Amino acid sequence: MKPTALAVIGALFLACAPVVHADDTTAPGAQPELKVSQAEMEKLLNAYAMIKQNYVGETDDRTLFDGALAGMLAALDAHSRYLDKDAMRDVGRESSGEYVGIGIEVEGNRDQLRVVGASDGSPAERAGIRPGDVIVAVDGMPVAGMTNDDVTRRMHGAPGTVVALGLARRNKIETLRVTRAELHNDTVHVRMAAPGLAWIRISEFGGATAADLAAALKKLDGKDAPRGLIVDLRNDPGGLVSAAVAVAGAFLPPGTVLFSARGRESGANAIVTVDERYYRHADEPDVLAGLPAWTRSVPLTVLVNGSSASAAELVTGALQDQHRATVIGTRTFGKGSIQSVIPLDEDSGIKFTVARYFTPNGHEIQARGVTPDIVVAPTAVADDDLLLREADLAHHLPATQPLDASANAKHEPMESTAMFGTPADKTLQTAVGAITATSAP
């Protein structure tokens, strides 16, 4: 069944890849007529019949039809895909901001999975897991060859159950048993980068990100309120569009244009502004209510790199085009499309691209990215992998606007989150210098 335009736009502002969610999947009124080629349907059914009759092993209908759906979605673009039960569970976790796990942040490099941080008071911290630990096995299964999603799902489970992590330490493997617990996904971290300058790192845009940011900004309020803010979106893969709208709205006046969405269906075309209808559910409080006035006026910088994607690019482009922030770092990933998730049944759904988004000045993000106002190249490390961007992905949506000259620049190395905030963090130090120069008497 083809979703109506109203269903698509209902999902549009509640979701954005890489993890998305749709609340509205149906809409009143007649469904549009769907014309299907009889010859193509017969070809599909003939292939199904031949497999059922002649395949060397036993087959079941669910596996075959799930595979057909997966192939159909994969043929569209790099971000459209079939969602099985595990993937749909991930969608719900991202939207709620709550999950069952051990409370660590990891990043992959080749066949290694390195711990970037363990949340305060989390099961991982209590078990002795530290930043820099390399995870080589989960419950006895080597992580080499697994995707990050596969490893993450193995760490999740029921509260009170135990996961065994194999860690490479001092040239030997140590196994730690960690008890899973219900946790809050902390995506906002704040510390002072210099006297009077607050450094706010947003690791992804989840269901609780906007509320956590608002709480952090209110905590900074008082007689010693910051004279400047540094919003760090480096290595932020994106997330929910609604969270991105609220985050941008924390620094811009109500009614400010954030981006425009352009899709095939008329219902997928919209100009999105700082308005609570684009970020607030009817049964939730307005997270932007009561913010200190200085959040929309103090000097602001945004830090980005080639791993800043999707919703992170949406926020960056809005703050840059509205002349609210100075963007520092390297060109962003270039993921400028919006996906909608439509559940098919209780255990599965489909995610597909419904629109491209453009910055307030009409700059296309897709396959182009956002170019910083101040370029600061990352420090190269000999064994770092080169960073791949949207334009390097198979089946990526091509840009509709000419590529900037920077889009053809040499690929930079990937940056480790563990380096952020250290003395070697040139991008952060550049931001501190830029705000200091702006706010000097």
Side-chain angles (χ1 to χ4, degrees), residues 396-408:
H396 73 272
L397 288 175
T400 62
Q401 297 177 354
L403 294 179
D404 293 337
S406 62
N408 298 317

PDB file of all heavy atoms in Angstrom, residues 396-408:
ATOM      1  N   HIS A 396      24.159   6.431  -3.996  1.00  0.00           N
ATOM      2  CA  HIS A 396      23.799   7.682  -3.343  1.00  0.00           C
ATOM      3  C   HIS A 396      22.993   8.561  -4.302  1.00  0.00           C
ATOM      4  O   HIS A 396      23.135   8.474  -5.517  1.00  0.00           O
ATOM      5  CB  HIS A 396      25.044   8.440  -2.864  1.00  0.00           C
ATOM      6  CG  HIS A 396      25.827   9.071  -3.971  1.00  0.00           C
ATOM      7  ND1 HIS A 396      26.818   8.418  -4.657  1.00  0.00           N
ATOM      8  CD2 HIS A 396      25.768  10.323  -4.525  1.00  0.00           C
ATOM      9  CE1 HIS A 396      27.327   9.206  -5.573  1.00  0.00           C
ATOM     10  NE2 HIS A 396      26.714  10.374  -5.519  1.00  0.00           N
ATOM     11  N   LEU A 397      22.115   9.381  -3.719  1.00  0.00           N
ATOM     12  CA  LEU A 397      21.372  10.337  -4.532  1.00  0.00           C
ATOM     13  C   LEU A 397      22.327  11.414  -5.028  1.00  0.00           C
ATOM     14  O   LEU A 397      23.038  12.022  -4.227  1.00  0.00           O
ATOM     15  CB  LEU A 397      20.260  10.996  -3.709  1.00  0.00           C
ATOM     16  CG  LEU A 397      19.052  10.155  -3.334  1.00  0.00           C
ATOM     17  CD1 LEU A 397      18.143  10.961  -2.435  1.00  0.00           C
ATOM     18  CD2 LEU A 397      18.304   9.704  -4.575  1.00  0.00           C
ATOM     19  N   PRO A 398      22.360  11.662  -6.328  1.00  0.00           N
ATOM     20  CA  PRO A 398      23.261  12.716  -6.819  1.00  0.00           C
ATOM     21  C   PRO A 398      22.722  14.093  -6.447  1.00  0.00           C
ATOM     22  O   PRO A 398      21.523  14.281  -6.226  1.00  0.00           O
ATOM     23  CB  PRO A 398      23.247  12.507  -8.329  1.00  0.00           C
ATOM     24  CG  PRO A 398      21.925  11.871  -8.615  1.00  0.00           C
ATOM     25  CD  PRO A 398      21.633  11.000  -7.426  1.00  0.00           C
ATOM     26  N   ALA A 399      23.620  15.056  -6.361  1.00  0.00           N
ATOM     27  CA  ALA A 399      23.218  16.439  -6.094  1.00  0.00           C
ATOM     28  C   ALA A 399      22.484  16.999  -7.302  1.00  0.00           C
ATOM     29  O   ALA A 399      22.766  16.634  -8.445  1.00  0.00           O
ATOM     30  CB  ALA A 399      24.442  17.280  -5.774  1.00  0.00           C
ATOM     31  N   THR A 400      21.536  17.885  -7.048  1.00  0.00           N
ATOM     32  CA  THR A 400      20.835  18.562  -8.138  1.00  0.00           C
ATOM     33  C   THR A 400      21.479  19.903  -8.454  1.00  0.00           C
ATOM     34  O   THR A 400      21.165  20.504  -9.476  1.00  0.00           O
ATOM     35  CB  THR A 400      19.354  18.778  -7.776  1.00  0.00           C
ATOM     36  OG1 THR A 400      19.256  19.614  -6.617  1.00  0.00           O
ATOM     37  CG2 THR A 400      18.662  17.452  -7.501  1.00  0.00           C
ATOM     38  N   GLN A 401      22.349  20.380  -7.567  1.00  0.00           N
ATOM     39  CA  GLN A 401      23.094  21.610  -7.784  1.00  0.00           C
ATOM     40  C   GLN A 401      24.549  21.270  -8.103  1.00  0.00           C
ATOM     41  O   GLN A 401      25.035  20.215  -7.709  1.00  0.00           O
ATOM     42  CB  GLN A 401      23.027  22.509  -6.545  1.00  0.00           C
ATOM     43  CG  GLN A 401      21.629  22.989  -6.201  1.00  0.00           C
ATOM     44  CD  GLN A 401      21.621  23.826  -4.927  1.00  0.00           C
ATOM     45  OE1 GLN A 401      22.627  23.959  -4.237  1.00  0.00           O
ATOM     46  NE2 GLN A 401      20.465  24.389  -4.607  1.00  0.00           N
ATOM     47  N   PRO A 402      25.254  22.144  -8.816  1.00  0.00           N
ATOM     48  CA  PRO A 402      26.674  21.873  -9.114  1.00  0.00           C
ATOM     49  C   PRO A 402      27.476  21.682  -7.840  1.00  0.00           C
ATOM     50  O   PRO A 402      27.224  22.334  -6.825  1.00  0.00           O
ATOM     51  CB  PRO A 402      27.117  23.132  -9.874  1.00  0.00           C
ATOM     52  CG  PRO A 402      25.855  23.731 -10.397  1.00  0.00           C
ATOM     53  CD  PRO A 402      24.789  23.419  -9.395  1.00  0.00           C
ATOM     54  N   LEU A 403      28.442  20.778  -7.885  1.00  0.00           N
ATOM     55  CA  LEU A 403      29.288  20.539  -6.730  1.00  0.00           C
ATOM     56  C   LEU A 403      30.232  21.711  -6.510  1.00  0.00           C
ATOM     57  O   LEU A 403      30.746  22.298  -7.461  1.00  0.00           O
ATOM     58  CB  LEU A 403      30.099  19.250  -6.922  1.00  0.00           C
ATOM     59  CG  LEU A 403      29.316  17.942  -6.977  1.00  0.00           C
ATOM     60  CD1 LEU A 403      30.277  16.783  -7.201  1.00  0.00           C
ATOM     61  CD2 LEU A 403      28.513  17.726  -5.705  1.00  0.00           C
ATOM     62  N   ASP A 404      30.459  22.042  -5.231  1.00  0.00           N
ATOM     63  CA  ASP A 404      31.460  23.051  -4.902  1.00  0.00           C
ATOM     64  C   ASP A 404      32.852  22.501  -5.206  1.00  0.00           C
ATOM     65  O   ASP A 404      33.069  21.286  -5.237  1.00  0.00           O
ATOM     66  CB  ASP A 404      31.384  23.411  -3.411  1.00  0.00           C
ATOM     67  CG  ASP A 404      30.086  24.130  -3.073  1.00  0.00           C
ATOM     68  OD1 ASP A 404      29.491  24.718  -3.993  1.00  0.00           O
ATOM     69  OD2 ASP A 404      29.677  24.092  -1.900  1.00  0.00           O
ATOM     70  N   ALA A 405      33.792  23.386  -5.417  1.00  0.00           N
ATOM     71  CA  ALA A 405      35.166  22.951  -5.682  1.00  0.00           C
ATOM     72  C   ALA A 405      35.706  22.119  -4.528  1.00  0.00           C
ATOM     73  O   ALA A 405      36.465  21.166  -4.734  1.00  0.00           O
ATOM     74  CB  ALA A 405      36.057  24.158  -5.924  1.00  0.00           C
ATOM     75  N   SER A 406      35.273  22.430  -3.293  1.00  0.00           N
ATOM     76  CA  SER A 406      35.770  21.698  -2.128  1.00  0.00           C
ATOM     77  C   SER A 406      35.306  20.262  -2.116  1.00  0.00           C
ATOM     78  O   SER A 406      35.892  19.414  -1.437  1.00  0.00           O
ATOM     79  CB  SER A 406      35.326  22.392  -0.834  1.00  0.00           C
ATOM     80  OG  SER A 406      33.907  22.393  -0.741  1.00  0.00           O
ATOM     81  N   ALA A 407      34.223  19.965  -2.873  1.00  0.00           N
ATOM     82  CA  ALA A 407      33.706  18.594  -2.888  1.00  0.00           C
ATOM     83  C   ALA A 407      34.681  17.640  -3.548  1.00  0.00           C
ATOM     84  O   ALA A 407      34.616  16.426  -3.349  1.00  0.00           O
ATOM     85  CB  ALA A 407      32.355  18.552  -3.594  1.00  0.00           C
ATOM     86  N   ASN A 408      35.583  18.150  -4.360  1.00  0.00           N
ATOM     87  CA  ASN A 408      36.562  17.314  -5.039  1.00  0.00           C
ATOM     88  C   ASN A 408      37.924  17.331  -4.347  1.00  0.00           C
ATOM     89  O   ASN A 408      38.908  16.847  -4.891  1.00  0.00           O
ATOM     90  CB  ASN A 408      36.725  17.773  -6.495  1.00  0.00           C
ATOM     91  CG  ASN A 408      35.430  17.628  -7.283  1.00  0.00           C
ATOM     92  OD1 ASN A 408      34.745  16.624  -7.156  1.00  0.00           O
ATOM     93  ND2 ASN A 408      35.098  18.635  -8.078  1.00  0.00           N
TER      94      ASN A 408
END
